[in-house]
Short mmCIF file of all heavy atoms in Angstrom, two decimals:
data_model
loop_
_atom_site.label_atom_id
_atom_site.label_comp_id
_atom_site.label_asym_id
_atom_site.label_seq_id
_atom_site.Cartn_x
_atom_site.Cartn_y
_atom_site.Cartn_z
N HIS A 1 -10.49 5.05 2.95
CA HIS A 1 -9.64 4.78 1.80
C HIS A 1 -9.27 6.06 1.09
O HIS A 1 -8.12 6.27 0.79
CB HIS A 1 -10.40 3.81 0.88
CG HIS A 1 -9.65 3.36 -0.29
ND1 HIS A 1 -9.76 3.99 -1.50
CD2 HIS A 1 -8.76 2.38 -0.46
CE1 HIS A 1 -8.97 3.42 -2.37
NE2 HIS A 1 -8.32 2.45 -1.76
N LYS A 2 -10.28 6.92 0.78
CA LYS A 2 -10.00 8.19 0.13
C LYS A 2 -9.11 9.05 1.01
O LYS A 2 -8.19 9.70 0.51
CB LYS A 2 -11.28 8.90 -0.15
CG LYS A 2 -11.09 10.24 -0.90
CD LYS A 2 -12.36 10.91 -1.21
CE LYS A 2 -12.26 12.25 -1.86
NZ LYS A 2 -11.05 12.95 -1.87
N SER A 3 -9.35 9.09 2.30
CA SER A 3 -8.54 9.84 3.18
C SER A 3 -7.06 9.40 3.14
O SER A 3 -6.15 10.20 3.18
CB SER A 3 -9.07 9.72 4.61
OG SER A 3 -8.30 10.54 5.50
N TYR A 4 -6.86 8.09 3.13
CA TYR A 4 -5.52 7.54 3.08
C TYR A 4 -4.80 7.99 1.84
O TYR A 4 -3.67 8.44 1.88
CB TYR A 4 -5.60 6.01 3.11
CG TYR A 4 -4.31 5.37 2.87
CD1 TYR A 4 -3.24 5.27 3.85
CD2 TYR A 4 -4.02 4.72 1.63
CE1 TYR A 4 -2.03 4.69 3.55
CE2 TYR A 4 -2.78 4.12 1.39
CZ TYR A 4 -1.83 4.12 2.38
OH TYR A 4 -0.62 3.50 2.12
N VAL A 5 -5.48 7.91 0.70
CA VAL A 5 -4.87 8.33 -0.59
C VAL A 5 -4.55 9.85 -0.63
O VAL A 5 -3.52 10.28 -1.00
CB VAL A 5 -5.78 7.92 -1.79
CG1 VAL A 5 -5.26 8.52 -3.11
CG2 VAL A 5 -5.90 6.40 -1.87
N ASP A 6 -5.54 10.62 -0.12
CA ASP A 6 -5.38 12.06 -0.07
C ASP A 6 -4.17 12.45 0.80
O ASP A 6 -3.35 13.29 0.42
CB ASP A 6 -6.65 12.78 0.46
CG ASP A 6 -7.80 12.68 -0.55
OD1 ASP A 6 -7.58 12.32 -1.74
OD2 ASP A 6 -8.94 12.97 -0.15
N HIS A 7 -4.07 11.87 1.98
CA HIS A 7 -3.00 12.18 2.90
C HIS A 7 -1.65 11.71 2.38
O HIS A 7 -0.63 12.37 2.54
CB HIS A 7 -3.28 11.65 4.31
CG HIS A 7 -4.30 12.51 5.01
ND1 HIS A 7 -5.65 12.20 4.97
CD2 HIS A 7 -4.18 13.62 5.76
CE1 HIS A 7 -6.31 13.11 5.65
NE2 HIS A 7 -5.45 13.96 6.17
N THR A 8 -1.65 10.52 1.72
CA THR A 8 -0.41 10.05 1.18
C THR A 8 0.06 10.92 0.06
O THR A 8 1.25 11.22 -0.10
CB THR A 8 -0.61 8.56 0.70
OG1 THR A 8 -1.02 7.76 1.81
CG2 THR A 8 0.66 8.00 0.14
N THR A 9 -0.85 11.40 -0.77
CA THR A 9 -0.55 12.31 -1.84
C THR A 9 0.10 13.65 -1.28
O THR A 9 1.10 14.06 -1.82
CB THR A 9 -1.79 12.64 -2.70
OG1 THR A 9 -2.36 11.46 -3.17
CG2 THR A 9 -1.49 13.62 -3.81
N LYS A 10 -0.50 14.18 -0.28
CA LYS A 10 -0.01 15.40 0.33
C LYS A 10 1.43 15.16 0.89
O LYS A 10 2.31 15.97 0.72
CB LYS A 10 -0.92 15.88 1.44
CG LYS A 10 -2.19 16.46 0.94
CD LYS A 10 -3.09 16.87 2.11
CE LYS A 10 -4.44 17.27 1.57
NZ LYS A 10 -5.40 17.53 2.71
N MET A 11 1.59 14.00 1.52
CA MET A 11 2.91 13.72 2.12
C MET A 11 3.93 13.53 1.02
O MET A 11 5.08 14.03 1.15
CB MET A 11 2.81 12.40 2.96
CG MET A 11 4.10 11.98 3.61
SD MET A 11 3.94 10.47 4.62
CE MET A 11 3.50 9.30 3.29
N LEU A 12 3.60 12.84 -0.06
CA LEU A 12 4.49 12.62 -1.17
C LEU A 12 4.90 13.95 -1.80
O LEU A 12 6.06 14.17 -1.99
CB LEU A 12 3.77 11.72 -2.18
CG LEU A 12 4.58 11.28 -3.40
CD1 LEU A 12 4.06 9.91 -3.80
CD2 LEU A 12 4.46 12.19 -4.55
N LYS A 13 4.01 14.90 -2.04
CA LYS A 13 4.25 16.15 -2.60
C LYS A 13 5.17 16.99 -1.68
O LYS A 13 6.06 17.68 -2.16
CB LYS A 13 2.97 16.85 -2.99
CG LYS A 13 2.28 16.23 -4.18
CD LYS A 13 1.09 17.02 -4.60
CE LYS A 13 0.39 16.33 -5.77
NZ LYS A 13 1.15 16.16 -6.98
N MET A 14 4.89 16.96 -0.40
CA MET A 14 5.74 17.69 0.54
C MET A 14 7.13 17.21 0.51
O MET A 14 8.10 18.00 0.53
CB MET A 14 5.12 17.58 1.94
CG MET A 14 3.83 18.40 2.12
SD MET A 14 3.05 18.10 3.74
CE MET A 14 4.34 18.53 4.88
N ALA A 15 7.31 15.89 0.48
CA ALA A 15 8.67 15.32 0.47
C ALA A 15 9.39 15.69 -0.82
O ALA A 15 10.56 16.10 -0.79
CB ALA A 15 8.55 13.80 0.63
N GLN A 16 8.67 15.60 -1.95
CA GLN A 16 9.31 15.91 -3.20
C GLN A 16 9.66 17.40 -3.29
O GLN A 16 10.73 17.79 -3.79
CB GLN A 16 8.40 15.53 -4.40
CG GLN A 16 8.32 14.04 -4.56
CD GLN A 16 7.41 13.61 -5.67
OE1 GLN A 16 6.40 14.26 -5.95
NE2 GLN A 16 7.78 12.54 -6.38
N ASP A 17 8.79 18.28 -2.74
CA ASP A 17 9.07 19.69 -2.77
C ASP A 17 10.33 20.03 -1.88
O ASP A 17 10.98 20.98 -2.10
CB ASP A 17 7.87 20.48 -2.22
CG ASP A 17 6.73 20.49 -3.18
OD1 ASP A 17 6.93 20.12 -4.38
OD2 ASP A 17 5.61 20.88 -2.77
N ALA A 18 10.58 19.11 -0.93
CA ALA A 18 11.77 19.33 -0.04
C ALA A 18 13.00 18.65 -0.61
O ALA A 18 14.05 18.61 -0.01
CB ALA A 18 11.46 18.77 1.33
N GLY A 19 12.85 18.03 -1.84
CA GLY A 19 14.03 17.43 -2.44
C GLY A 19 14.25 16.00 -2.08
O GLY A 19 15.30 15.44 -2.34
N VAL A 20 13.24 15.36 -1.48
CA VAL A 20 13.40 14.03 -0.99
C VAL A 20 12.97 13.02 -2.13
O VAL A 20 11.99 13.25 -2.83
CB VAL A 20 12.52 13.72 0.25
CG1 VAL A 20 12.51 12.27 0.66
CG2 VAL A 20 12.92 14.63 1.36
N ARG A 21 13.78 12.02 -2.33
CA ARG A 21 13.41 10.95 -3.32
C ARG A 21 12.45 10.00 -2.62
O ARG A 21 12.72 9.41 -1.58
CB ARG A 21 14.68 10.17 -3.68
CG ARG A 21 14.41 9.15 -4.75
CD ARG A 21 15.74 8.49 -5.19
NE ARG A 21 15.43 7.26 -5.88
CZ ARG A 21 16.27 6.27 -5.94
NH1 ARG A 21 17.44 6.30 -5.33
NH2 ARG A 21 15.91 5.19 -6.57
N VAL A 22 11.28 9.84 -3.22
CA VAL A 22 10.21 9.11 -2.55
C VAL A 22 10.02 7.74 -3.16
O VAL A 22 10.02 7.55 -4.40
CB VAL A 22 8.87 9.87 -2.69
CG1 VAL A 22 7.73 9.07 -2.07
CG2 VAL A 22 9.00 11.27 -2.03
N VAL A 23 9.85 6.76 -2.28
CA VAL A 23 9.47 5.39 -2.69
C VAL A 23 8.28 4.96 -1.91
O VAL A 23 8.26 5.03 -0.65
CB VAL A 23 10.63 4.32 -2.39
CG1 VAL A 23 10.22 2.94 -2.72
CG2 VAL A 23 11.89 4.76 -3.13
N LEU A 24 7.17 4.63 -2.57
CA LEU A 24 6.00 4.12 -1.92
C LEU A 24 6.08 2.64 -1.91
O LEU A 24 6.50 2.00 -2.86
CB LEU A 24 4.73 4.61 -2.62
CG LEU A 24 4.52 6.13 -2.68
CD1 LEU A 24 3.22 6.40 -3.47
CD2 LEU A 24 4.50 6.71 -1.28
N MET A 25 5.59 2.02 -0.85
CA MET A 25 5.72 0.59 -0.66
C MET A 25 4.48 -0.01 -0.02
O MET A 25 4.00 0.54 0.99
CB MET A 25 6.99 0.32 0.22
CG MET A 25 7.32 -1.14 0.38
SD MET A 25 8.77 -1.41 1.47
CE MET A 25 9.96 -0.28 0.76
N SER A 26 3.98 -1.04 -0.60
CA SER A 26 2.86 -1.78 0.04
C SER A 26 3.41 -2.65 1.13
O SER A 26 4.55 -2.98 1.16
CB SER A 26 2.12 -2.61 -1.00
OG SER A 26 2.96 -3.69 -1.46
N PRO A 27 2.54 -3.00 2.11
CA PRO A 27 2.99 -3.84 3.20
C PRO A 27 3.12 -5.28 2.78
O PRO A 27 2.59 -5.69 1.69
CB PRO A 27 1.89 -3.68 4.25
CG PRO A 27 0.71 -3.41 3.44
CD PRO A 27 1.14 -2.57 2.23
N ASN A 28 3.70 -6.12 3.58
CA ASN A 28 3.77 -7.54 3.36
C ASN A 28 2.39 -8.17 3.49
O ASN A 28 1.54 -7.67 4.29
CB ASN A 28 4.65 -8.22 4.41
CG ASN A 28 6.12 -7.90 4.19
OD1 ASN A 28 6.57 -7.69 3.12
ND2 ASN A 28 6.89 -7.93 5.28
N ALA A 29 2.13 -9.21 2.76
CA ALA A 29 0.85 -9.92 2.89
C ALA A 29 1.00 -11.09 3.91
O ALA A 29 0.09 -11.82 4.11
CB ALA A 29 0.44 -10.49 1.57
N VAL A 30 2.17 -11.20 4.53
CA VAL A 30 2.40 -12.29 5.45
C VAL A 30 1.62 -12.06 6.71
O VAL A 30 1.70 -11.00 7.32
CB VAL A 30 3.87 -12.40 5.74
CG1 VAL A 30 4.19 -13.43 6.76
CG2 VAL A 30 4.70 -12.66 4.47
N ASP A 31 0.87 -13.06 7.12
CA ASP A 31 0.12 -12.98 8.40
C ASP A 31 0.15 -14.37 8.99
O ASP A 31 -0.30 -15.33 8.40
CB ASP A 31 -1.32 -12.56 8.11
CG ASP A 31 -2.05 -12.13 9.42
OD1 ASP A 31 -1.72 -12.74 10.47
OD2 ASP A 31 -2.95 -11.31 9.33
N VAL A 32 0.77 -14.49 10.14
CA VAL A 32 0.97 -15.80 10.74
C VAL A 32 -0.32 -16.36 11.33
O VAL A 32 -0.43 -17.54 11.61
CB VAL A 32 2.02 -15.78 11.93
CG1 VAL A 32 3.35 -15.40 11.33
CG2 VAL A 32 1.60 -14.75 13.00
N ARG A 33 -1.37 -15.51 11.46
CA ARG A 33 -2.65 -16.02 11.92
C ARG A 33 -3.34 -16.85 10.79
O ARG A 33 -3.18 -16.51 9.61
CB ARG A 33 -3.58 -14.85 12.28
CG ARG A 33 -2.94 -14.02 13.45
CD ARG A 33 -3.76 -12.75 13.67
NE ARG A 33 -3.49 -11.83 12.53
CZ ARG A 33 -3.93 -10.60 12.50
NH1 ARG A 33 -4.64 -10.13 13.46
NH2 ARG A 33 -3.62 -9.80 11.48
N LYS A 34 -4.07 -17.82 11.15
CA LYS A 34 -4.73 -18.69 10.17
C LYS A 34 -6.23 -18.57 10.39
O LYS A 34 -6.71 -18.17 11.40
CB LYS A 34 -4.30 -20.14 10.36
CG LYS A 34 -2.77 -20.40 10.24
CD LYS A 34 -2.31 -20.07 8.83
CE LYS A 34 -0.79 -20.33 8.74
NZ LYS A 34 -0.23 -19.76 7.55
N GLY A 35 -6.95 -18.95 9.37
CA GLY A 35 -8.40 -19.01 9.46
C GLY A 35 -9.05 -18.26 8.30
O GLY A 35 -8.42 -17.41 7.62
N ASP A 36 -10.31 -18.48 8.06
CA ASP A 36 -11.06 -17.94 6.97
C ASP A 36 -11.13 -16.39 7.05
O ASP A 36 -11.05 -15.69 6.05
CB ASP A 36 -12.44 -18.54 6.84
CG ASP A 36 -12.39 -19.96 6.40
OD1 ASP A 36 -11.37 -20.40 5.71
OD2 ASP A 36 -13.39 -20.69 6.65
N ARG A 37 -11.33 -15.91 8.27
CA ARG A 37 -11.48 -14.44 8.39
C ARG A 37 -10.23 -13.65 8.04
O ARG A 37 -10.24 -12.54 7.61
CB ARG A 37 -12.00 -14.04 9.71
CG ARG A 37 -11.00 -14.21 10.84
CD ARG A 37 -11.70 -13.90 12.21
NE ARG A 37 -10.70 -13.87 13.22
CZ ARG A 37 -10.68 -13.04 14.17
NH1 ARG A 37 -11.64 -12.17 14.27
NH2 ARG A 37 -9.73 -13.07 15.08
N PHE A 38 -9.07 -14.31 8.10
CA PHE A 38 -7.83 -13.69 7.73
C PHE A 38 -7.62 -13.65 6.24
O PHE A 38 -6.86 -12.84 5.71
CB PHE A 38 -6.63 -14.24 8.51
CG PHE A 38 -6.75 -13.98 9.95
CD1 PHE A 38 -7.02 -14.96 10.84
CD2 PHE A 38 -6.69 -12.67 10.46
CE1 PHE A 38 -7.18 -14.70 12.21
CE2 PHE A 38 -6.83 -12.39 11.77
CZ PHE A 38 -7.07 -13.42 12.67
N LYS A 39 -8.26 -14.54 5.49
CA LYS A 39 -8.25 -14.47 4.03
C LYS A 39 -8.92 -13.18 3.58
O LYS A 39 -8.40 -12.51 2.75
CB LYS A 39 -8.94 -15.67 3.42
CG LYS A 39 -8.21 -16.99 3.60
CD LYS A 39 -8.97 -18.13 3.00
CE LYS A 39 -8.31 -19.44 3.34
NZ LYS A 39 -9.04 -20.59 2.90
N LEU A 40 -10.06 -12.88 4.23
CA LEU A 40 -10.72 -11.61 3.97
C LEU A 40 -9.83 -10.40 4.29
O LEU A 40 -9.79 -9.41 3.56
CB LEU A 40 -12.05 -11.53 4.75
CG LEU A 40 -12.82 -10.20 4.55
CD1 LEU A 40 -13.21 -10.02 3.12
CD2 LEU A 40 -14.04 -10.23 5.50
N TYR A 41 -9.11 -10.51 5.39
CA TYR A 41 -8.20 -9.44 5.76
C TYR A 41 -7.17 -9.20 4.67
O TYR A 41 -6.86 -8.08 4.27
CB TYR A 41 -7.48 -9.79 7.09
CG TYR A 41 -6.33 -8.88 7.43
CD1 TYR A 41 -6.53 -7.60 7.88
CD2 TYR A 41 -5.04 -9.30 7.24
CE1 TYR A 41 -5.48 -6.73 8.15
CE2 TYR A 41 -3.96 -8.49 7.51
CZ TYR A 41 -4.14 -7.20 7.96
OH TYR A 41 -3.13 -6.41 8.22
N LEU A 42 -6.58 -10.25 4.10
CA LEU A 42 -5.59 -10.10 3.09
C LEU A 42 -6.17 -9.48 1.81
O LEU A 42 -5.54 -8.66 1.19
CB LEU A 42 -4.94 -11.49 2.71
CG LEU A 42 -4.05 -12.05 3.80
CD1 LEU A 42 -3.57 -13.45 3.37
CD2 LEU A 42 -2.86 -11.14 4.05
N GLU A 43 -7.42 -9.81 1.47
CA GLU A 43 -8.05 -9.25 0.29
C GLU A 43 -8.38 -7.77 0.56
O GLU A 43 -8.20 -6.95 -0.35
CB GLU A 43 -9.33 -10.02 -0.08
CG GLU A 43 -9.07 -11.47 -0.49
CD GLU A 43 -8.10 -11.57 -1.59
OE1 GLU A 43 -8.09 -10.79 -2.57
OE2 GLU A 43 -7.22 -12.48 -1.51
N THR A 44 -8.82 -7.45 1.73
CA THR A 44 -9.13 -6.03 2.07
C THR A 44 -7.83 -5.23 2.07
O THR A 44 -7.78 -4.08 1.56
CB THR A 44 -9.76 -5.96 3.49
OG1 THR A 44 -10.96 -6.73 3.50
CG2 THR A 44 -10.06 -4.52 3.85
N GLN A 45 -6.73 -5.77 2.59
CA GLN A 45 -5.46 -5.13 2.57
C GLN A 45 -5.05 -4.82 1.16
O GLN A 45 -4.55 -3.73 0.85
CB GLN A 45 -4.40 -6.03 3.28
CG GLN A 45 -3.06 -5.41 3.43
CD GLN A 45 -2.06 -6.37 4.05
OE1 GLN A 45 -2.09 -7.56 3.75
NE2 GLN A 45 -1.18 -5.85 4.86
N GLN A 46 -5.23 -5.77 0.21
CA GLN A 46 -4.81 -5.55 -1.15
C GLN A 46 -5.58 -4.34 -1.76
O GLN A 46 -5.00 -3.52 -2.43
CB GLN A 46 -5.09 -6.80 -1.97
CG GLN A 46 -4.70 -6.65 -3.40
CD GLN A 46 -5.03 -7.89 -4.22
OE1 GLN A 46 -5.91 -8.71 -3.86
NE2 GLN A 46 -4.34 -8.07 -5.34
N GLN A 47 -6.89 -4.30 -1.49
CA GLN A 47 -7.69 -3.19 -2.03
C GLN A 47 -7.29 -1.84 -1.47
O GLN A 47 -7.30 -0.85 -2.14
CB GLN A 47 -9.17 -3.48 -1.76
CG GLN A 47 -9.68 -4.68 -2.47
CD GLN A 47 -11.09 -5.03 -2.02
OE1 GLN A 47 -11.71 -4.33 -1.29
NE2 GLN A 47 -11.55 -6.20 -2.43
N PHE A 48 -6.90 -1.85 -0.20
CA PHE A 48 -6.55 -0.64 0.50
C PHE A 48 -5.27 -0.02 -0.06
O PHE A 48 -5.15 1.19 -0.27
CB PHE A 48 -6.35 -0.92 1.96
CG PHE A 48 -6.29 0.32 2.83
CD1 PHE A 48 -7.37 1.07 3.15
CD2 PHE A 48 -5.03 0.79 3.29
CE1 PHE A 48 -7.27 2.20 3.95
CE2 PHE A 48 -4.89 1.89 4.07
CZ PHE A 48 -6.04 2.64 4.36
N TYR A 49 -4.27 -0.86 -0.39
CA TYR A 49 -2.95 -0.37 -0.83
C TYR A 49 -2.82 -0.31 -2.33
O TYR A 49 -1.81 0.16 -2.84
CB TYR A 49 -1.86 -1.18 -0.23
CG TYR A 49 -1.76 -0.96 1.28
CD1 TYR A 49 -2.17 -1.97 2.17
CD2 TYR A 49 -1.34 0.20 1.79
CE1 TYR A 49 -2.12 -1.74 3.55
CE2 TYR A 49 -1.25 0.46 3.13
CZ TYR A 49 -1.67 -0.53 4.01
OH TYR A 49 -1.59 -0.32 5.36
N ALA A 50 -3.80 -0.79 -3.08
CA ALA A 50 -3.73 -0.83 -4.52
C ALA A 50 -3.44 0.55 -5.17
O ALA A 50 -2.73 0.62 -6.12
CB ALA A 50 -5.01 -1.43 -5.14
N PRO A 51 -4.02 1.62 -4.63
CA PRO A 51 -3.76 2.93 -5.33
C PRO A 51 -2.34 3.43 -5.23
O PRO A 51 -2.03 4.36 -5.93
CB PRO A 51 -4.69 3.89 -4.54
CG PRO A 51 -5.68 3.01 -3.90
CD PRO A 51 -5.03 1.71 -3.62
N LEU A 52 -1.52 2.85 -4.37
CA LEU A 52 -0.15 3.31 -4.28
C LEU A 52 0.63 3.25 -5.57
O LEU A 52 1.45 4.12 -5.86
CB LEU A 52 0.59 2.55 -3.15
CG LEU A 52 0.15 2.80 -1.70
CD1 LEU A 52 0.99 1.97 -0.76
CD2 LEU A 52 0.27 4.27 -1.35
N LYS A 53 0.45 2.19 -6.31
CA LYS A 53 1.17 2.07 -7.57
C LYS A 53 0.85 3.18 -8.53
O LYS A 53 1.76 3.81 -9.10
CB LYS A 53 0.86 0.69 -8.18
CG LYS A 53 1.61 0.48 -9.46
CD LYS A 53 1.32 -0.94 -10.02
CE LYS A 53 2.13 -1.24 -11.25
NZ LYS A 53 1.92 -2.63 -11.71
N GLU A 54 -0.45 3.53 -8.69
CA GLU A 54 -0.84 4.63 -9.57
C GLU A 54 -0.38 5.93 -9.01
O GLU A 54 0.00 6.84 -9.78
CB GLU A 54 -2.35 4.56 -9.76
CG GLU A 54 -2.84 3.38 -10.54
CD GLU A 54 -2.98 2.09 -9.76
OE1 GLU A 54 -3.17 2.17 -8.54
OE2 GLU A 54 -2.86 1.05 -10.38
N LEU A 55 -0.45 6.07 -7.74
CA LEU A 55 -0.06 7.38 -7.10
C LEU A 55 1.46 7.57 -7.33
O LEU A 55 1.85 8.69 -7.65
CB LEU A 55 -0.32 7.30 -5.59
CG LEU A 55 -0.06 8.56 -4.78
CD1 LEU A 55 -0.90 9.71 -5.27
CD2 LEU A 55 -0.36 8.26 -3.34
N ALA A 56 2.23 6.55 -7.20
CA ALA A 56 3.68 6.68 -7.46
C ALA A 56 3.91 7.06 -8.92
O ALA A 56 4.71 7.95 -9.25
CB ALA A 56 4.38 5.41 -7.10
N ALA A 57 3.25 6.37 -9.83
CA ALA A 57 3.46 6.64 -11.27
C ALA A 57 3.06 8.06 -11.62
O ALA A 57 3.77 8.77 -12.39
CB ALA A 57 2.67 5.64 -12.07
N ALA A 58 2.02 8.55 -11.04
CA ALA A 58 1.48 9.90 -11.34
C ALA A 58 2.37 10.99 -10.80
O ALA A 58 2.28 12.14 -11.26
CB ALA A 58 0.03 10.05 -10.81
N ASN A 59 3.20 10.64 -9.80
CA ASN A 59 4.07 11.62 -9.19
C ASN A 59 5.57 11.33 -9.38
O ASN A 59 6.38 11.83 -8.60
CB ASN A 59 3.70 11.72 -7.72
CG ASN A 59 2.35 12.30 -7.48
OD1 ASN A 59 2.22 13.50 -7.56
ND2 ASN A 59 1.37 11.50 -7.30
N SER A 60 5.92 10.56 -10.34
CA SER A 60 7.29 10.24 -10.67
C SER A 60 8.08 9.67 -9.40
O SER A 60 9.20 9.99 -9.20
CB SER A 60 8.06 11.47 -11.20
OG SER A 60 7.40 11.92 -12.36
N ALA A 61 7.38 8.87 -8.68
CA ALA A 61 7.98 8.22 -7.48
C ALA A 61 8.15 6.74 -7.79
O ALA A 61 7.46 6.19 -8.67
CB ALA A 61 7.12 8.44 -6.25
N SER A 62 8.95 6.05 -7.09
CA SER A 62 9.15 4.63 -7.18
C SER A 62 8.06 3.89 -6.37
O SER A 62 7.53 4.44 -5.42
CB SER A 62 10.52 4.15 -6.70
OG SER A 62 11.51 4.83 -7.48
N PHE A 63 7.79 2.62 -6.74
CA PHE A 63 6.85 1.84 -6.01
C PHE A 63 7.37 0.40 -5.89
O PHE A 63 7.87 -0.15 -6.86
CB PHE A 63 5.50 1.80 -6.76
CG PHE A 63 4.50 0.83 -6.12
CD1 PHE A 63 3.93 1.19 -4.89
CD2 PHE A 63 4.10 -0.31 -6.71
CE1 PHE A 63 3.00 0.32 -4.27
CE2 PHE A 63 3.25 -1.17 -6.13
CZ PHE A 63 2.66 -0.88 -4.89
N VAL A 64 7.27 -0.12 -4.68
CA VAL A 64 7.70 -1.55 -4.41
C VAL A 64 6.43 -2.24 -3.92
O VAL A 64 5.80 -1.86 -2.91
CB VAL A 64 8.79 -1.57 -3.33
CG1 VAL A 64 9.15 -3.04 -3.04
CG2 VAL A 64 10.06 -0.82 -3.83
N ASP A 65 6.06 -3.29 -4.61
CA ASP A 65 4.85 -4.08 -4.26
C ASP A 65 5.21 -5.29 -3.44
O ASP A 65 5.26 -6.43 -3.97
CB ASP A 65 4.08 -4.42 -5.50
CG ASP A 65 2.66 -4.93 -5.19
OD1 ASP A 65 2.36 -5.12 -3.99
OD2 ASP A 65 1.92 -5.13 -6.14
N GLN A 66 5.50 -5.09 -2.19
CA GLN A 66 5.80 -6.23 -1.28
C GLN A 66 4.60 -7.12 -1.10
O GLN A 66 4.77 -8.33 -0.93
CB GLN A 66 6.25 -5.71 0.11
CG GLN A 66 7.61 -5.08 0.12
CD GLN A 66 8.07 -4.90 1.53
OE1 GLN A 66 9.14 -5.38 1.87
NE2 GLN A 66 7.28 -4.25 2.39
N TYR A 67 3.42 -6.53 -1.21
CA TYR A 67 2.19 -7.34 -1.03
C TYR A 67 2.13 -8.47 -2.09
O TYR A 67 1.95 -9.62 -1.71
CB TYR A 67 0.96 -6.47 -1.14
CG TYR A 67 -0.30 -7.26 -0.97
CD1 TYR A 67 -0.83 -7.49 0.30
CD2 TYR A 67 -0.95 -7.86 -2.07
CE1 TYR A 67 -1.95 -8.24 0.49
CE2 TYR A 67 -2.08 -8.61 -1.88
CZ TYR A 67 -2.59 -8.83 -0.65
OH TYR A 67 -3.72 -9.62 -0.48
N ALA A 68 2.33 -8.11 -3.36
CA ALA A 68 2.30 -9.09 -4.40
C ALA A 68 3.37 -10.17 -4.24
O ALA A 68 3.09 -11.35 -4.44
CB ALA A 68 2.38 -8.45 -5.78
N LEU A 69 4.51 -9.75 -3.87
CA LEU A 69 5.67 -10.66 -3.70
C LEU A 69 5.42 -11.67 -2.58
O LEU A 69 5.68 -12.84 -2.67
CB LEU A 69 7.00 -9.91 -3.45
CG LEU A 69 7.47 -9.07 -4.65
CD1 LEU A 69 8.64 -8.24 -4.24
CD2 LEU A 69 7.80 -10.01 -5.87
N THR A 70 4.95 -11.17 -1.44
CA THR A 70 4.73 -12.03 -0.29
C THR A 70 3.41 -12.82 -0.36
O THR A 70 3.28 -13.86 0.23
CB THR A 70 4.81 -11.23 1.04
OG1 THR A 70 3.82 -10.20 0.98
CG2 THR A 70 6.16 -10.67 1.26
N ARG A 71 2.50 -12.30 -1.08
CA ARG A 71 1.17 -13.05 -1.25
C ARG A 71 1.36 -14.25 -2.17
O ARG A 71 0.78 -15.29 -1.97
CB ARG A 71 0.14 -12.09 -1.84
CG ARG A 71 -1.21 -12.72 -1.96
CD ARG A 71 -1.87 -13.06 -0.66
NE ARG A 71 -3.05 -13.84 -0.76
CZ ARG A 71 -4.27 -13.42 -0.70
NH1 ARG A 71 -4.50 -12.12 -0.46
NH2 ARG A 71 -5.26 -14.21 -0.81
N ALA A 72 2.26 -14.14 -3.14
CA ALA A 72 2.49 -15.22 -4.09
C ALA A 72 3.21 -16.40 -3.43
O ALA A 72 3.07 -17.52 -3.85
CB ALA A 72 3.32 -14.70 -5.23
N GLY A 73 3.97 -16.09 -2.34
CA GLY A 73 4.76 -17.12 -1.71
C GLY A 73 4.11 -17.93 -0.68
O GLY A 73 3.07 -18.03 -0.29
#
């Protein structure tokens, strides 16, 4: 988890330094597989991508939360 955030931060800063407009986006929560173990997968996925919103805000980047939109549906 920390490694993901650290590497995403580095990538974001490199893109911004190159003049690229950055948008961070969480993945969809849609999973066609059914069963109790996939409920745990969705919860784990949410925890893994949660830092993206704060990372975007701290670096003046945009953030799209597809996870929240598709999880609600």
Side-chain angles (χ1 to χ4, degrees):
H1 184 265
K2 181 180 176 347
S3 179
Y4 171 76
V5 172
D6 290 347
H7 285 92
T8 302
T9 301
K10 288 177 187 175
M11 181 179 62
L12 186 148
K13 289 187 183 296
M14 287 172 58
Q16 288 179 326
D17 289 347
V20 175
R21 183 173 163 210
V22 177
V23 177
L24 298 179
M25 185 179 310
S26 66
N28 290 331
V30 176
D31 194 329
V32 295
R33 300 170 287 186
K34 302 294 179 195
D36 290 337
R37 69 185 190 141
F38 294 110
K39 290 178 186 175
L40 176 60
Y41 168 76
L42 289 175
E43 296 307 318
T44 302
Q45 185 183 36
Q46 180 183 23
Q47 294 170 10
F48 191 78
Y49 293 108
L52 290 179
K53 183 176 183 177
E54 291 80 27
L55 184 60
N59 290 280
S60 301
S62 298
F63 175 70
V64 177
D65 193 352
Q66 287 193 126
Y67 180 87
L69 294 171
T70 55
R71 182 68 191 257

